[in-house]
Amino acid sequence: MAAEGPATRRVQVAEHPRFLKLKEMFNSKFGSIPKFYVRAPGRVNIIGEHIDYCGYSVLPMAIEQDMLIAVEPVKTQTLQLANTNPLYTDFSTSANNIQIDKTKPLWHNYFLCGFKGIQEHFGLSSLTGMNCLVDGNIPPSSGLSSSSALVCCAGLVTLTVLGMNLSKVELAEICAKSERYIGTEGGGMDQSISFLAEEGTAKLIEFSPLRATDVKLPSGAIFVIANSCVEMNKAATSHFNIRVMECRLAAKLLAKYRGLQWDKVLRLEEVQAKLGVSLEEMLQITEDTLHPEPYSPEEVCRCLGISLQELRTQILSPNTQDVLTFKLYQRAKHVYSEAARVLQFKKICEEAPDNMVQLLGELMNQSHASCRDMYECSCPEVDQLVDICRYHGNQDSGSWNSGNQRGGK
């Protein structure tokens, strides 16, 4: 399945109210009708928070909410973008001069990421123009990957207009890379599940090389996706990239202390792989090597034997160069323990013990506690949602505990 290209199908627009409304709005906006439609779903990550960019497997599933784009190729070389949401203003640019402003993560820049990714993959200097009307029903900045779904959708739109073919894996890898044009140092989970998801199953997403394995969830379980309504735009703040850089620095310090070629190491998974030890052993190595107190940039430099200038220009991303403290111990502890929880979750699903729902719930509870305390990527509203879910879960028959999804954070 992953080696195949995205599925195509004929749709009777008149039979689908959303498509029909989009077609009518497209005609009103551009004075013509779309030639085709492209869809990419959002996702919810069941377990494996903030570890994809550290090289570790994650366990998401796609959701029904999606990005839908109506498209008409045009003979001009102008790219015209519009959105059904009036909060998002129209945008127009030359298809051959794509500029993405990292300082302003406006909605159209995510489309441009996908567009540019396909353009650069094929080495094309001249592209045809197109009119596009975007309709999304994924809550923005809610932790359900609305931005990545738009990048994926745009990549698929561009591929279709060009008449080119790529596998789902190739598309996912291109879109994961191209979303970094907007300044976020993501790991690829969001784009991978958007392309590789299948109905009726979650997926274990593994990297290097990218692959997806079905994970059958318990038939008696219901997964509730609750939106805390606290918005967090990854590209609009430095919070996300700071965590990425903290993990990178932790990997380099661990590698240095264990006698590895630290300057070549970027991800925590690489340290484990080079040492040839288990995740449990990596947790102990982290405990023995890193201290819980935050590291200053100066201390990091002393540990690595480099200058402050080298740290800022060769290791840190542009929007993390002025960070004053880095919590390396906490971030590494979260990553290694979360990576272990992902594997435990998959194992429980495969073995299907009688109390599997309770066991899975306990892992999700541990995941949230680690996100809250060690990775600090939760917020009071999400914590309250989790407490409410867990309280009412425990009031039931006692056969399950509810986990959570970090909406908005």
Side-chain angles (χ1 to χ4, degrees), residues 84-341:
T84 59
N85 188 331
L87 295 177
Y88 303 130
T89 57
D90 293 357
F91 178 79
S92 179
T93 188
S94 167
N96 301 320
N97 185 31
I98 300 299
Q99 303 292 326
I100 300 173
D101 187 352
K102 291 184 179 181
T103 65
K104 297 178 180 179
L106 301 172
W107 77 272
H108 61 260
N109 282 327
Y110 292 96
F111 186 101
L112 297 182
C113 285
F115 183 91
K116 185 177 180 179
I118 297 297
Q119 179 188 28
E120 293 190 347
H121 176 79
F122 288 108
L124 302 174
S125 57
S126 179
L127 274 79
T128 184
M130 61 181 91
N131 297 331
C132 297
L133 180 59
V134 177
D135 181 59
N137 57 14
I138 308 169
S141 303
S142 65
L144 297 175
S145 295
S146 59
S147 300
S148 295
L150 180 52
V151 173
C152 292
C153 220
L156 189 50
V157 164
T158 310
L159 187 72
T160 306
V161 168
L162 291 173
M164 304 284 198
N165 294 301
L166 289 170
S167 70
K168 295 177 185 179
V169 166
E170 290 171 320
L171 272 166
E173 291 177 331
I174 291 168
C175 289
K177 179 181 177 182
S178 66
E179 189 167 336
R180 296 170 192 155
Y181 294 144
I182 209 164
T184 52
E185 300 283 339
M189 170 180 65
D190 303 343
Q191 302 82 4
S192 299
I193 192 63
S194 191
F195 281 116
L196 301 176
E198 295 181 65
E199 186 175 3
T201 181
K203 293 281 187 177
L204 179 76
I205 304 289
E206 300 173 89
F207 304 95
S208 300
L210 176 61
R211 55 205 185 278
T213 305
D214 289 358
V215 177
K216 182 173 176 54
L217 300 172
S219 58
I222 296 174
F223 289 81
V224 177
I225 304 171
N227 187 356
S228 68
C229 299
V230 177
E231 294 191 358
M232 174 60 77
N233 186 318
K234 289 191 291 189
T237 69
S238 61
H239 298 301
F240 182 85
N241 280 356
I242 289 173
R243 296 297 184 276
V244 177
M245 291 304 124
E246 286 175 320
C247 291
R248 182 174 299 177
L249 291 174
K252 289 182 178 295
L253 262 66
L254 288 169
K256 175 75 180 292
Y257 287 131
R258 300 296 292 193
L260 302 176
Q261 192 175 356
W262 66 267
D263 55 320
K264 302 296 185 184
V265 170
L266 293 176
R267 297 183 294 272
L268 287 164
E269 186 276 336
E270 295 173 46
V271 182
Q272 182 196 359
K274 290 178 185 297
L275 292 178
V277 300
S278 68
L279 287 165
E280 290 71 22
E281 288 172 302
M282 280 310 308
L283 283 167
Q284 188 57 53
I285 290 171
T286 299
E287 196 73 41
D288 296 340
T289 305
L290 303 177
H291 56 68
E293 297 77 25
Y295 287 73
S296 67
E298 291 77 12
E299 184 179 6
V300 171
C301 290
R302 287 195 300 272
C303 292
L304 296 178
I306 60 175
S307 68
L308 201 56
Q309 179 69 10
E310 288 173 315
L311 174 66
R312 287 173 174 161
T313 59
Q314 297 178 21
I315 299 178
L316 299 179
S317 62
N319 65 347
T320 61
Q321 292 178 1
D322 296 323
V323 176
L324 299 178
T325 59
F326 300 101
K327 295 186 177 182
L328 308 188
Y329 168 88
Q330 291 85 349
R331 309 318 182 215
K333 290 277 282 190
H334 166 76
V335 170
Y336 289 129
S337 63
E338 186 76 350
R341 282 187 286 271

Side-chain angles (χ1 to χ4, degrees), residues 316-389:
L316 299 179
S317 62
N319 65 347
T320 61
Q321 292 178 1
D322 296 323
V323 176
L324 299 178
T325 59
F326 300 101
K327 295 186 177 182
L328 308 188
Y329 168 88
Q330 291 85 349
R331 309 318 182 215
K333 290 277 282 190
H334 166 76
V335 170
Y336 289 129
S337 63
E338 186 76 350
R341 282 187 286 271
V342 170
L343 300 181
Q344 291 167 359
F345 194 100
K346 178 175 181 285
K347 185 171 184 285
I348 292 168
C349 287
E350 290 172 342
E351 295 177 350
D354 291 340
N355 62 338
M356 68 180 298
V357 178
Q358 181 179 352
L359 294 175
L360 297 179
E362 289 171 357
L363 286 174
M364 294 176 75
N365 288 335
Q366 293 169 19
S367 174
H368 176 72
S370 185
C371 284
R372 181 191 64 215
D373 302 332
M374 302 303 284
Y375 219 73
E376 297 176 282
C377 60
S378 186
C379 63
E381 292 83 355
V382 171
D383 296 340
Q384 185 178 7
L385 265 177
V386 173
D387 289 342
I388 292 170
C389 291

Side-chain angles (χ1 to χ4, degrees), residues 16-130:
H16 298 271
R18 187 180 175 201
F19 279 85
L20 184 60
K21 182 180 179 181
L22 189 59
K23 177 183 177 181
E24 292 171 348
M25 291 183 71
F26 189 99
N27 188 28
S28 176
K29 172 67 68 174
F30 298 113
S32 54
I33 61 172
K35 294 298 186 291
F36 63 90
Y37 302 83
V38 169
R39 172 187 179 270
R43 66 98 185 103
V44 63
N45 191 26
I46 301 172
I47 197 164
E49 292 296 327
H50 290 276
I51 62 173
D52 57 336
Y53 50 77
C54 295
Y56 283 109
S57 305
V58 291
L59 214 156
M61 59 182 173
I63 57 176
E64 293 179 345
Q65 287 74 16
D66 59 19
M67 286 291 170
L68 181 65
I69 303 181
V71 187
E72 177 195 27
V74 294
K75 294 181 179 180
T76 67
Q77 293 184 325
T78 300
L79 180 61
Q80 293 196 86
L81 306 177
N83 201 301
T84 59
N85 188 331
L87 295 177
Y88 303 130
T89 57
D90 293 357
F91 178 79
S92 179
T93 188
S94 167
N96 301 320
N97 185 31
I98 300 299
Q99 303 292 326
I100 300 173
D101 187 352
K102 291 184 179 181
T103 65
K104 297 178 180 179
L106 301 172
W107 77 272
H108 61 260
N109 282 327
Y110 292 96
F111 186 101
L112 297 182
C113 285
F115 183 91
K116 185 177 180 179
I118 297 297
Q119 179 188 28
E120 293 190 347
H121 176 79
F122 288 108
L124 302 174
S125 57
S126 179
L127 274 79
T128 184
M130 61 181 91

